Coordinates of all heavy atoms in Angstrom, one line a residue:
M30 N -58.8 8.9 57.9 CA -57.9 9.4 56.9 C -58.1 10.9 56.7 O -59.2 11.4 56.9 CB -58.2 8.7 55.6 CG -57.1 9.0 54.5 SD -57.4 8.1 52.9 CE -57.8 6.5 53.4
S31 N -57.1 11.6 56.3 CA -57.1 13.0 56.1 C -58.0 13.4 54.9 O -58.1 12.7 53.9 CB -55.7 13.6 55.9 OG -54.9 13.2 56.8
P32 N -58.6 14.6 55.0 CA -59.3 15.1 53.8 C -58.3 15.4 52.7 O -57.1 15.7 52.9 CB -59.9 16.4 54.2 CG -59.5 16.6 55.7 CD -58.6 15.5 56.1
Q33 N -58.7 15.2 51.4 CA -57.8 15.5 50.3 C -57.5 16.9 50.3 O -58.2 17.8 50.7 CB -58.5 15.1 49.0 CG -58.6 13.6 48.8 CD -59.2 13.2 47.5 OE1 -60.0 13.9 46.9 NE2 -58.7 12.1 47.0
G34 N -56.3 17.2 49.8 CA -55.8 18.5 49.6 C -55.2 19.1 50.9 O -55.0 20.3 51.0
R35 N -55.1 18.3 51.9 CA -54.5 18.8 53.2 C -53.1 19.3 53.0 O -52.3 18.7 52.3 CB -54.6 17.7 54.2 CG -54.3 18.1 55.6 CD -54.7 17.0 56.5 NE -54.2 17.3 57.9 CZ -54.2 16.5 58.9 NH1 -54.8 15.4 58.8 NH2 -53.8 16.9 60.0
D36 N -52.7 20.4 53.7 CA -51.4 21.0 53.5 C -50.3 20.4 54.4 O -49.2 20.8 54.3 CB -51.5 22.5 53.8 CG -52.3 23.2 52.7 OD1 -52.3 22.7 51.5 OD2 -52.9 24.2 53.0
T37 N -50.7 19.4 55.2 CA -49.7 18.8 56.1 C -48.6 18.1 55.4 O -48.9 17.3 54.5 CB -50.4 17.8 57.1 OG1 -51.4 18.5 57.7 CG2 -49.4 17.3 58.1
E38 N -47.4 18.4 55.8 CA -46.2 17.7 55.2 C -45.7 16.6 56.2 O -45.7 16.9 57.4 CB -45.1 18.7 54.9 CG -45.3 19.6 53.8 CD -45.1 18.8 52.4 OE1 -44.3 18.0 52.3 OE2 -45.9 19.2 51.5
F39 N -45.3 15.5 55.8 CA -44.8 14.5 56.6 C -43.3 14.2 56.2 O -43.1 14.0 55.1 CB -45.6 13.2 56.5 CG -47.0 13.4 57.0 CD1 -48.0 13.6 56.1 CD2 -47.3 13.3 58.3 CE1 -49.3 13.8 56.6 CE2 -48.6 13.5 58.8 CZ -49.6 13.7 57.9
T40 N -42.5 14.3 57.2 CA -41.1 14.0 56.9 C -40.8 12.5 57.0 O -41.6 11.8 57.6 CB -40.2 14.8 57.9 OG1 -40.4 14.2 59.2 CG2 -40.5 16.3 57.9
L41 N -39.6 12.1 56.6 CA -39.2 10.7 56.7 C -39.0 10.4 58.2 O -39.3 9.3 58.6 CB -37.9 10.5 55.9 CG -38.0 10.7 54.4 CD1 -36.6 10.4 53.7 CD2 -39.1 9.8 53.8
S42 N -38.6 11.4 59.0 CA -38.5 11.2 60.4 C -39.9 10.8 61.0 O -40.0 10.0 62.0 CB -37.9 12.4 61.1 OG -36.6 12.6 60.7
D43 N -40.9 11.5 60.5 CA -42.3 11.2 61.0 C -42.6 9.7 60.8 O -43.2 9.1 61.7 CB -43.3 12.1 60.3 CG -43.2 13.5 60.7 OD1 -42.8 13.9 61.8 OD2 -43.6 14.3 59.8
V44 N -42.3 9.2 59.6 CA -42.6 7.8 59.3 C -41.7 6.9 60.1 O -42.2 5.9 60.7 CB -42.4 7.6 57.8 CG1 -42.6 6.1 57.5 CG2 -43.3 8.5 57.0
T45 N -40.4 7.2 60.3 CA -39.5 6.4 61.1 C -40.1 6.3 62.6 O -40.0 5.3 63.2 CB -38.1 6.9 61.1 OG1 -37.7 6.9 59.7 CG2 -37.2 6.1 61.9
A46 N -40.6 7.4 63.1 CA -41.1 7.5 64.4 C -42.3 6.6 64.6 O -42.5 6.0 65.7 CB -41.5 8.9 64.8
V47 N -43.0 6.3 63.6 CA -44.2 5.4 63.7 C -43.6 4.0 64.1 O -44.2 3.3 64.9 CB -45.0 5.3 62.3 CG1 -45.9 4.1 62.4 CG2 -45.7 6.6 62.1
F48 N -42.6 3.6 63.4 CA -42.0 2.3 63.7 C -41.3 2.3 65.1 O -41.4 1.3 65.9 CB -40.9 1.9 62.7 CG -41.5 1.5 61.4 CD1 -41.7 2.5 60.4 CD2 -41.9 0.2 61.1 CE1 -42.3 2.2 59.1 CE2 -42.5 -0.1 59.9 CZ -42.6 0.9 58.9
E49 N -40.6 3.3 65.5 CA -39.9 3.4 66.7 C -40.7 3.6 67.9 O -40.3 3.2 69.0 CB -38.8 4.5 66.6 CG -37.7 4.2 65.6 CD -36.8 5.3 65.3 OE1 -37.1 6.5 65.7 OE2 -35.7 5.1 64.7
S50 N -41.9 4.1 67.8 CA -42.7 4.4 69.0 C -43.6 3.2 69.4 O -44.4 3.4 70.3 CB -43.6 5.6 68.7 OG -44.5 5.3 67.6
R51 N -43.5 2.1 68.8 CA -44.4 0.9 69.1 C -43.7 0.1 70.2 O -42.5 0.1 70.4 CB -44.6 0.1 67.9 CG -45.3 0.9 66.8 CD -45.5 0.2 65.5 NE -44.2 -0.2 65.0 CZ -43.9 -1.4 64.6 NH1 -44.8 -2.4 64.6 NH2 -42.7 -1.7 64.2
D52 N -44.6 -0.7 70.9 CA -44.1 -1.6 71.9 C -43.3 -2.7 71.3 O -42.2 -3.1 71.8 CB -45.2 -2.2 72.7 CG -45.9 -1.2 73.6 OD1 -45.2 -0.2 74.0 OD2 -47.1 -1.4 74.0
D53 N -43.7 -3.2 70.2 CA -43.0 -4.3 69.4 C -42.3 -3.6 68.2 O -42.9 -3.5 67.2 CB -44.0 -5.4 69.0 CG -43.3 -6.6 68.3 OD1 -42.0 -6.5 68.1 OD2 -43.9 -7.5 68.0
Y54 N -41.1 -3.2 68.4 CA -40.4 -2.5 67.4 C -40.2 -3.2 66.1 O -40.1 -2.7 65.1 CB -39.0 -2.2 68.0 CG -38.1 -1.3 67.2 CD1 -38.3 0.0 67.1 CD2 -37.0 -1.9 66.5 CE1 -37.4 0.8 66.3 CE2 -36.2 -1.1 65.7 CZ -36.4 0.2 65.6 OH -35.6 1.0 64.8
A55 N -40.2 -4.6 66.2 CA -39.9 -5.4 65.0 C -41.2 -5.8 64.3 O -41.1 -6.4 63.2 CB -39.2 -6.7 65.4
E56 N -42.4 -5.5 64.8 CA -43.6 -5.9 64.1 C -43.7 -5.2 62.7 O -43.6 -4.0 62.7 CB -44.8 -5.6 64.9 CG -46.1 -5.9 64.3 CD -47.3 -5.4 65.0 OE1 -47.1 -4.7 66.0 OE2 -48.4 -5.7 64.6
P57 N -43.9 -5.9 61.7 CA -44.1 -5.3 60.4 C -45.4 -4.5 60.3 O -46.4 -4.9 61.0 CB -44.1 -6.5 59.4 CG -43.6 -7.6 60.1 CD -43.9 -7.4 61.5
L58 N -45.4 -3.4 59.5 CA -46.6 -2.6 59.3 C -46.9 -2.5 57.8 O -46.0 -2.6 57.0 CB -46.4 -1.2 59.9 CG -46.2 -1.0 61.3 CD1 -45.8 0.4 61.6 CD2 -47.4 -1.5 62.1
T59 N -48.2 -2.4 57.5 CA -48.6 -2.1 56.1 C -48.6 -0.6 55.9 O -48.6 0.2 56.9 CB -50.0 -2.6 55.9 OG1 -50.9 -1.9 56.7 CG2 -50.1 -4.1 56.1
A60 N -48.6 -0.2 54.7 CA -48.7 1.3 54.4 C -50.0 1.9 54.9 O -50.0 3.0 55.4 CB -48.6 1.5 52.9
S61 N -51.0 1.1 55.0 CA -52.3 1.6 55.5 C -52.2 1.8 57.0 O -52.7 2.8 57.5 CB -53.4 0.6 55.3 OG -53.7 0.5 53.9
E62 N -51.5 1.0 57.7 CA -51.3 1.2 59.2 C -50.4 2.4 59.4 O -50.7 3.2 60.4 CB -50.6 -0.1 59.8 CG -51.5 -1.3 59.8 CD -50.8 -2.5 60.2 OE1 -49.7 -2.8 59.8 OE2 -51.4 -3.3 61.0
V63 N -49.4 2.6 58.6 CA -48.6 3.8 58.8 C -49.4 5.1 58.5 O -49.4 6.1 59.2 CB -47.3 3.8 57.8 CG1 -46.6 5.1 57.8 CG2 -46.4 2.6 58.3
A64 N -50.2 5.0 57.4 CA -51.1 6.1 57.1 C -52.1 6.4 58.2 O -52.3 7.6 58.5 CB -51.9 5.8 55.8
D65 N -52.7 5.4 58.8 CA -53.6 5.6 59.9 C -52.9 6.3 61.1 O -53.5 7.2 61.7 CB -54.2 4.3 60.4 CG -55.2 3.7 59.5 OD1 -55.7 4.4 58.6 OD2 -55.5 2.5 59.6
R66 N -51.7 5.9 61.4 CA -51.0 6.5 62.5 C -50.5 8.0 62.2 O -50.4 8.8 63.2 CB -49.8 5.7 62.9 CG -50.2 4.3 63.5 CD -49.1 3.6 64.2 NE -49.6 2.5 64.9 CZ -49.5 1.2 64.5 NH1 -48.9 0.9 63.4 NH2 -50.0 0.2 65.2
L67 N -50.3 8.3 61.0 CA -49.9 9.6 60.6 C -51.1 10.5 60.2 O -51.0 11.7 60.1 CB -48.9 9.6 59.4 CG -47.5 9.1 59.7 CD1 -46.7 9.0 58.4 CD2 -46.8 9.9 60.7
D68 N -52.2 9.9 60.1 CA -53.4 10.6 59.6 C -53.2 11.2 58.3 O -53.4 12.4 58.0 CB -53.9 11.6 60.6 CG -55.3 12.1 60.3 OD1 -56.1 11.4 59.7 OD2 -55.6 13.3 60.7
C69 N -52.7 10.4 57.3 CA -52.5 10.8 56.0 C -53.0 9.7 55.0 O -53.5 8.7 55.4 CB -51.0 11.0 55.7 SG -49.9 9.5 55.7
S70 N -52.9 10.0 53.7 CA -53.4 9.0 52.8 C -52.4 7.8 52.7 O -51.2 7.9 53.0 CB -53.5 9.7 51.4 OG -52.2 9.9 50.8
R71 N -52.9 6.7 52.2 CA -52.1 5.5 52.0 C -51.0 5.8 51.0 O -49.9 5.4 51.1 CB -53.0 4.3 51.6 CG -52.2 3.1 51.4 CD -53.1 1.9 50.9 NE -52.3 0.8 50.5 CZ -51.5 0.6 49.4 NH1 -51.5 1.6 48.6 NH2 -50.9 -0.5 49.2
R72 N -51.3 6.6 50.0 CA -50.4 6.9 48.9 C -49.2 7.7 49.5 O -48.1 7.5 49.2 CB -51.1 7.7 47.8 CG -50.2 8.2 46.7 CD -49.2 7.2 46.1 NE -49.7 6.0 45.5 CZ -49.0 5.0 45.2 NH1 -47.7 5.0 45.3 NH2 -49.5 3.9 44.7
T73 N -49.5 8.7 50.3 CA -48.5 9.5 51.0 C -47.6 8.6 51.8 O -46.4 8.7 51.7 CB -49.1 10.6 51.9 OG1 -49.8 11.5 51.0 CG2 -48.0 11.4 52.6
A74 N -48.2 7.7 52.6 CA -47.4 6.8 53.4 C -46.5 5.9 52.6 O -45.3 5.7 52.8 CB -48.3 6.0 54.3
L75 N -47.1 5.4 51.5 CA -46.4 4.5 50.6 C -45.2 5.2 50.0 O -44.1 4.7 49.9 CB -47.3 4.0 49.6 CG -46.9 2.8 48.7 CD1 -46.5 1.6 49.6 CD2 -48.0 2.4 47.8
N76 N -45.4 6.4 49.5 CA -44.3 7.2 48.9 C -43.2 7.4 49.9 O -42.0 7.3 49.6 CB -44.8 8.6 48.4 CG -45.7 8.5 47.2 OD1 -45.7 7.5 46.5 ND2 -46.5 9.5 47.0
K77 N -43.5 7.8 51.2 CA -42.5 8.0 52.2 C -41.8 6.6 52.5 O -40.6 6.6 52.7 CB -43.1 8.5 53.5 CG -43.7 9.9 53.3 CD -42.6 11.0 52.9 CE -43.3 12.3 52.8 NZ -42.3 13.4 52.5
L78 N -42.5 5.6 52.6 CA -41.9 4.3 52.9 C -40.9 3.9 51.8 O -39.8 3.4 52.1 CB -43.0 3.2 53.0 CG -43.8 3.3 54.3 CD1 -45.1 2.4 54.2 CD2 -43.0 2.9 55.5
H79 N -41.3 4.1 50.5 CA -40.3 3.8 49.4 C -39.1 4.6 49.5 O -38.0 4.2 49.3 CB -41.0 4.0 48.1 CG -41.9 2.9 47.7 ND1 -41.4 1.6 47.3 CD2 -43.3 2.8 47.6 CE1 -42.5 0.8 47.0 NE2 -43.6 1.5 47.2
K80 N -39.2 5.9 49.8 CA -38.1 6.8 50.0 C -37.2 6.3 51.1 O -36.0 6.3 51.0 CB -38.5 8.2 50.2 CG -38.6 9.1 49.0 CD -38.4 10.5 49.5 CE -38.5 11.5 48.4 NZ -37.6 11.3 47.3
L81 N -37.8 6.0 52.3 CA -37.0 5.5 53.4 C -36.3 4.2 53.1 O -35.1 4.0 53.5 CB -38.0 5.2 54.6 CG -38.2 6.3 55.5 CD1 -39.2 6.0 56.6 CD2 -36.9 6.8 56.2
Q82 N -36.9 3.3 52.3 CA -36.3 2.1 51.9 C -35.0 2.3 51.1 O -34.0 1.6 51.2 CB -37.2 1.2 51.2 CG -36.7 -0.2 51.0 CD -37.7 -1.2 50.3 OE1 -38.7 -0.7 49.9 NE2 -37.4 -2.4 50.3
E83 N -35.0 3.4 50.3 CA -33.8 3.7 49.5 C -32.6 4.2 50.3 O -31.5 3.9 49.9 CB -34.2 4.8 48.5 CG -35.2 4.4 47.4 CD -35.7 5.6 46.6 OE1 -35.1 6.7 46.8 OE2 -36.6 5.4 45.8
G84 N -32.9 4.9 51.4 CA -31.8 5.5 52.1 C -31.6 5.0 53.5 O -30.7 5.5 54.2
T85 N -32.3 4.0 54.0 CA -32.1 3.5 55.4 C -32.2 2.0 55.4 O -32.2 1.3 54.4 CB -33.3 4.1 56.3 OG1 -34.5 3.5 55.9 CG2 -33.4 5.6 56.2
D86 N -32.3 1.4 56.6 CA -32.4 0.0 56.8 C -33.8 -0.5 56.7 O -34.0 -1.7 56.8 CB -31.8 -0.4 58.2 CG -30.3 -0.2 58.3 OD1 -29.6 -0.2 57.2 OD2 -29.8 -0.1 59.4
L87 N -34.8 0.3 56.4 CA -36.1 -0.1 56.3 C -36.2 -1.2 55.2 O -35.7 -1.1 54.1 CB -37.1 1.0 55.9 CG -38.5 0.7 55.9 CD1 -39.1 0.5 57.3 CD2 -39.3 1.8 55.2
K88 N -36.9 -2.3 55.5 CA -37.1 -3.4 54.6 C -38.6 -3.6 54.3 O -39.4 -3.2 55.1 CB -36.6 -4.7 55.2 CG -35.1 -4.6 55.7 CD -34.2 -4.6 54.5 CE -32.8 -4.6 55.0 NZ -31.9 -4.1 54.0
S89 N -38.8 -4.2 53.2 CA -40.2 -4.6 52.9 C -40.3 -5.9 52.2 O -39.3 -6.4 51.7 CB -40.9 -3.5 52.0 OG -40.3 -3.6 50.7
K90 N -41.5 -6.5 52.3 CA -41.6 -7.8 51.7 C -43.1 -7.9 51.2 O -44.0 -7.5 51.9 CB -41.4 -8.9 52.7 CG -41.6 -10.3 52.3 CD -41.4 -11.3 53.4 CE -41.7 -12.7 52.9 NZ -41.4 -13.7 54.0
K91 N -43.2 -8.5 50.0 CA -44.5 -8.7 49.4 C -45.1 -9.9 50.1 O -44.5 -11.0 50.3 CB -44.4 -9.0 47.9 CG -45.6 -8.6 47.1 CD -45.3 -8.6 45.7 CE -46.6 -8.1 45.0 NZ -46.4 -8.0 43.6
V92 N -46.4 -9.8 50.6 CA -47.0 -10.9 51.4 C -48.3 -11.3 50.8 O -49.0 -12.1 51.4 CB -47.2 -10.5 52.8 CG1 -45.9 -10.3 53.5 CG2 -48.1 -9.2 52.9
G93 N -48.6 -10.9 49.6 CA -49.8 -11.3 48.9 C -49.8 -10.8 47.5 O -48.8 -10.2 47.1
G94 N -50.9 -10.9 46.8 CA -51.0 -10.4 45.4 C -50.5 -9.0 45.3 O -49.7 -8.6 44.4
R95 N -51.0 -8.1 46.1 CA -50.6 -6.7 46.1 C -50.3 -6.1 47.5 O -50.2 -4.9 47.6 CB -51.8 -5.9 45.5 CG -52.0 -6.2 44.0 CD -53.2 -5.5 43.4 NE -53.0 -4.1 43.6 CZ -54.0 -3.2 43.3 NH1 -55.1 -3.6 42.8 NH2 -53.8 -1.9 43.4
S96 N -50.1 -7.0 48.4 CA -49.9 -6.5 49.8 C -48.4 -6.6 50.1 O -47.6 -7.4 49.6 CB -50.6 -7.4 50.8 OG -52.0 -7.4 50.6
R97 N -47.9 -5.6 50.9 CA -46.5 -5.5 51.3 C -46.5 -5.1 52.7 O -47.3 -4.3 53.2 CB -45.8 -4.5 50.4 CG -44.4 -4.3 50.6 CD -43.7 -3.4 49.5 NE -43.7 -4.1 48.3 CZ -42.7 -4.9 47.9 NH1 -41.7 -5.2 48.7 NH2 -42.7 -5.5 46.7
V98 N -45.5 -5.6 53.5 CA -45.3 -5.1 54.8 C -43.9 -4.5 54.9 O -43.0 -4.8 54.1 CB -45.4 -6.3 55.9 CG1 -46.8 -6.8 55.9 CG2 -44.4 -7.4 55.6
W99 N -43.7 -3.6 55.9 CA -42.5 -2.9 56.1 C -42.0 -3.0 57.5 O -42.8 -3.1 58.4 CB -42.8 -1.4 55.8 CG -43.4 -1.1 54.5 CD1 -44.7 -1.3 54.2 CD2 -42.8 -0.7 53.3 NE1 -44.9 -1.0 52.9 CE2 -43.8 -0.6 52.3 CE3 -41.5 -0.5 53.0 CZ2 -43.5 -0.3 51.0 CZ3 -41.2 -0.1 51.7 CH2 -42.2 0.0 50.7
W100 N -40.7 -3.0 57.7 CA -40.2 -3.1 59.1 C -38.7 -2.6 59.1 O -38.1 -2.5 58.1 CB -40.2 -4.6 59.6 CG -39.2 -5.5 58.9 CD1 -37.9 -5.8 59.4 CD2 -39.4 -6.2 57.7 NE1 -37.3 -6.6 58.5 CE2 -38.2 -6.9 57.4 CE3 -40.4 -6.3 56.8 CZ2 -38.0 -7.7 56.3 CZ3 -40.2 -7.1 55.6 CH2 -39.0 -7.8 55.4
I101 N -38.3 -2.3 60.3 CA -36.9 -2.0 60.5 C -36.2 -3.1 61.2 O -36.7 -3.5 62.3 CB -36.7 -0.7 61.4 CG1 -37.4 0.5 60.7 CG2 -35.3 -0.4 61.7 CD1 -37.4 1.8 61.5
P102 N -35.2 -3.8 60.6 CA -34.6 -5.0 61.2 C -34.1 -4.7 62.6 O -33.5 -3.6 62.9 CB -33.5 -5.3 60.3 CG -33.8 -4.7 59.0 CD -34.6 -3.4 59.3
V103 N -34.2 -5.6 63.5 CA -33.7 -5.5 64.8 C -32.5 -6.5 65.0 O -32.6 -7.6 64.7 CB -34.8 -5.9 65.9 CG1 -34.2 -5.9 67.3 CG2 -36.0 -5.0 65.7
N104 N -31.4 -5.9 65.4 CA -30.2 -6.7 65.6 C -30.2 -7.3 67.0 O -30.4 -6.5 68.0 CB -28.9 -5.9 65.4 CG -28.8 -5.4 64.0 OD1 -29.1 -6.2 63.0 ND2 -28.4 -4.2 63.8
V105 N -30.2 -8.6 67.1 CA -30.2 -9.2 68.5 C -28.9 -9.9 68.7 O -28.2 -10.2 67.9 CB -31.4 -10.2 68.6 CG1 -32.7 -9.4 68.8 CG2 -31.4 -11.2 67.5

């Protein structure tokens, strides 16, 4: 995880690229997995995921008490 106070900015495109660059495009990811791939905090990843969900096809689903997964639907 990145040190606190890091000046790096992550765009919504950076987050979308995390989903698009995987072998299994449809596999859901957690905010922690996105954060690990971007080397940012979980909170930063979560904020970006919520923003993406508002303006794109990104979907999410609660899978536990406080757990959520995120994915981009694949049309087959």
Side-chain angles (χ1 to χ4, degrees):
M30 189 179 318
S31 308
Q33 288 186 328
R35 190 168 171 185
D36 291 331
T37 304
E38 288 283 327
F39 296 98
T40 66
L41 297 180
S42 295
D43 293 330
V44 178
T45 301
V47 170
F48 288 91
E49 294 173 344
S50 66
R51 299 172 304 128
D52 289 335
D53 184 355
Y54 184 78
E56 177 189 5
L58 296 173
T59 65
S61 294
E62 290 171 320
V63 172
D65 287 345
R66 290 195 172 103
L67 291 175
D68 193 27
C69 68
S70 71
R71 182 183 172 282
R72 175 49 56 193
T73 296
L75 194 56
N76 289 343
K77 296 295 183 180
L78 288 164
H79 281 291
K80 264 204 181 305
L81 270 173
Q82 189 174 11
E83 292 172 6
T85 67
D86 291 338
L87 185 73
K88 304 290 184 202
S89 73
K90 177 180 178 180
K91 207 168 188 176
V92 293
R95 293 178 54 188
S96 298
R97 184 171 288 275
V98 294
W99 305 82
W100 72 94
I101 297 173
V103 176
N104 296 321
V105 286

